[in-house]
């Protein structure tokens, strides 16, 4: 089954990954319009979006059912990508209610309205719903979910709502779970931009615990190409893991940042670990390779230095 992406909706389209997806969609000659729904909180900005007349923007909170319904009913959409989410673990520990509102209630609203308006939907989730796994094992789509933080629990809840909508109503909804993203326009609260800005100012670089926590890193453009492949060729009711098989510890990431910027490793400062900090995320993306005909094409060793230098240039401008 190949779905129609000529008029997609991107919720959370003014954020880091959402805006990258918009740029990739607009580069596709089959795409006629892209409708962006975003409530423009601290992590979303219209400056992230390309200057393109094919973008139709609606300032909407997906947790506000009436406003969301009004926006969706005025579109000529053929598909919906849901990237609207609160996504920072530390913030979820401090204020879980925000995550329940956006990630759970918002997703429930989207499912109901997509069902009524007959929009196929792609739910963009995270590998964090699986919890932690010891090397050399990998999470597959059949792995049990065991979220550790309010953030990952809210995303797992949204995934379960999507699965239930497929089973109960036969709804055309697919789920993707991606590993850690890096790239342009990432909000400064995330690991890489935080460390780049601190290093530029010769400030201490705070590392949680011993810094040995491992993540699989993928360029946001590779992630977004996988989202388009899942939208076009993914099966309703299925889950697809998205990753680049690039496992690095947080400490190794920070070492690379300091080396790229020519700063000393002595700037690293170890701080108390956060509660329930998962030690390792690692996923098997072979299902996406085989069923979606997708592969990541941006090698970390080439593109990570480019991203670090871009973040540094923007921070100094």
């Amino acid at each position: 089954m190949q779905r129609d992406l000529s008029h997609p909706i991107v919720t959370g389209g003014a954020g880091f990954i959402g805006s990258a997806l918009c740029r990739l969609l607009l580069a596709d000659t089959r795409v006629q319009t892209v409708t962006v729904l975003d409530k423009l909180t601290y992590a979303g900005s219209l400056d992230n979006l390309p200057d393109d007349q094919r973008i139709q923007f609606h300032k909407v909170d997906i947790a506000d059912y009436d406003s969301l319904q009004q926006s969706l009913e005025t579109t000529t959409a053929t598909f919906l990508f849901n990237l609207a989410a609160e996504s920072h673990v530390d913030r979820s520990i401090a204020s879980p209610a925000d995550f329940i509102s956006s990630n759970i209630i918002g997703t429930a609203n989207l499912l109901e309205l997509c069902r009524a308006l007959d929009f196929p939907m792609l739910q963009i989730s995270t590998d964090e719903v699986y919890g932690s796994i010891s090397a050399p094992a990998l999470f597959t789509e059949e792995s049990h979910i065991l979220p550790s933080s309010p953030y990952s629990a809210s995303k797992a809840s949204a995934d379960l709502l999507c699965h239930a909508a497929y089973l109960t109503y036969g709804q055309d909804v697919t789920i993707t779970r991606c590993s850690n993203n890096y790239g342009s326009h990432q909000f400064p609260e995330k690991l890489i931009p935080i460390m780049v800005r601190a290093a530029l100012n010769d400030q201490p670089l705070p590392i949680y615990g011993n810094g040995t926590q491992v993540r699989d890193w993928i360029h946001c453009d590779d992630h977004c190409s996988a989202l388009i492949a899942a939208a076009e060729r993914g099966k309703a009711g299925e889950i697809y893991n998205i990753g680049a098989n690039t496992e690095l510890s947080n400490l190794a990431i920070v070492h690379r940042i300091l080396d790229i910027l020519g700063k000393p490793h002595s700037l690293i400062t170890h701080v108390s670990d956060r509660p329930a900090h998962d030690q390792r995320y690692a996923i098997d993306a072979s299902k996406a390779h085989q069923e979606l005909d997708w592969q990541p094409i941006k090698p970390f060793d080439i593109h990570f230095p480019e991203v670090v230098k871009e973040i540094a240039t923007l921070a100094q401008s």
Side-chain angles (χ1 to χ4, degrees):
M1 175 178 62
Q2 189 165 17
R3 302 181 182 95
D4 180 5
L5 300 187
S6 59
H7 297 281
I9 295 173
V10 180
T11 68
F16 165 45
I17 300 173
S19 60
L21 176 61
C22 289
R23 289 190 290 273
L24 206 58
L25 286 168
L26 290 167
D28 189 327
T29 56
R30 297 171 297 175
V31 174
Q32 299 177 36
T33 63
V34 175
T35 300
V36 172
L37 274 57
D38 201 298
K39 66 176 180 177
L40 296 180
T41 54
Y42 70 96
S45 172
L46 292 178
D47 292 338
N48 291 336
L49 291 170
D51 184 11
D52 193 305
Q53 293 183 342
R54 291 174 293 167
I55 290 182
Q56 301 172 358
F57 178 78
H58 299 237
K59 186 176 181 181
V60 177
D61 180 355
I62 64 169
D64 182 341
Y65 185 91
D66 291 340
S67 297
L68 180 62
Q69 181 181 29
Q70 184 176 5
S71 289
L72 292 181
E73 287 180 343
T74 61
T75 70
T76 56
T78 57
F79 193 86
L80 188 141
F81 296 87
N82 181 28
L83 290 102
E86 296 285 343
S87 65
H88 193 243
V89 174
D90 288 353
R91 285 181 181 269
S92 79
I93 294 171
S95 182
D98 294 338
F99 290 72
I100 293 168
S101 177
S102 291
N103 300 355
I104 302 178
I105 296 173
T107 300
N109 288 344
L110 285 170
L111 284 167
E112 184 173 339
L113 288 167
C114 283
R115 194 160 61 244
L117 299 170
D118 198 25
F119 297 157
M121 175 175 156
L122 185 68
Q123 170 68 10
I124 289 78
S125 188
T126 170
D127 61 354
E128 295 190 38
V129 300
Y130 295 119
S132 188
I133 192 168
S134 299
L138 301 173
F139 285 120
T140 71
E141 290 81 357
E142 286 73 39
S143 298
H144 293 298
I145 57 175
L146 193 63
S148 303
S149 68
Y151 161 62
S152 57
S154 69
K155 292 298 288 185
S157 300
D159 289 1
L160 292 174
L161 287 171
C162 291
H163 184 62
Y166 167 73
L167 292 177
T168 303
Y169 306 108
Q171 188 162 349
D172 188 352
V173 56
T174 304
I175 298 168
T176 59
R177 292 173 177 162
C178 191
S179 58
N180 279 39
N181 282 230
Y182 72 97
S184 303
H185 302 90
Q186 192 167 25
F187 192 72
E189 73 183 359
K190 300 295 187 178
L191 175 68
I192 294 169
I194 280 178
M195 298 302 168
V196 170
R197 285 168 170 79
L200 287 174
N201 294 312
D202 295 312
Q203 296 173 341
L205 277 63
I207 299 291
Y208 280 134
N210 57 19
T212 60
Q213 303 87 0
V214 171
R215 304 293 183 257
D216 172 27
W217 291 91
I218 185 171
H219 194 284
C220 63
D221 288 348
D222 279 336
H223 180 193
C224 291
S225 70
L227 297 182
I228 293 174
E232 289 183 320
R233 297 183 289 277
K235 297 176 183 177
E238 292 292 321
I239 300 166
Y240 297 93
N241 286 342
I242 308 299
N245 195 29
T246 305
E247 289 185 45
L248 290 165
S249 70
N250 290 343
L251 193 58
I253 286 285
V254 175
H255 283 165
R256 290 188 182 218
I257 290 171
L258 291 169
D259 291 342
I260 292 165
L261 298 178
K263 297 291 185 175
H265 290 195
S266 58
L267 288 174
I268 294 173
T269 301
H270 292 272
V271 299
S272 298
D273 209 350
R274 74 181 178 210
H277 198 173
D278 289 327
Q279 179 62 29
R280 177 176 175 261
Y281 301 138
I283 57 175
D284 179 354
S286 58
K287 182 178 177 179
H289 300 164
Q290 295 163 8
E291 295 190 13
L292 304 181
D293 191 25
W294 168 85
Q295 292 282 347
I297 61 172
K298 293 200 167 185
F300 183 87
D301 288 340
I302 294 174
H303 293 279
F304 182 73
E306 294 175 356
V307 168
V308 169
K309 291 173 184 176
E310 180 182 356
I311 293 172
T313 299
L314 291 172
Q316 292 172 319
S317 62

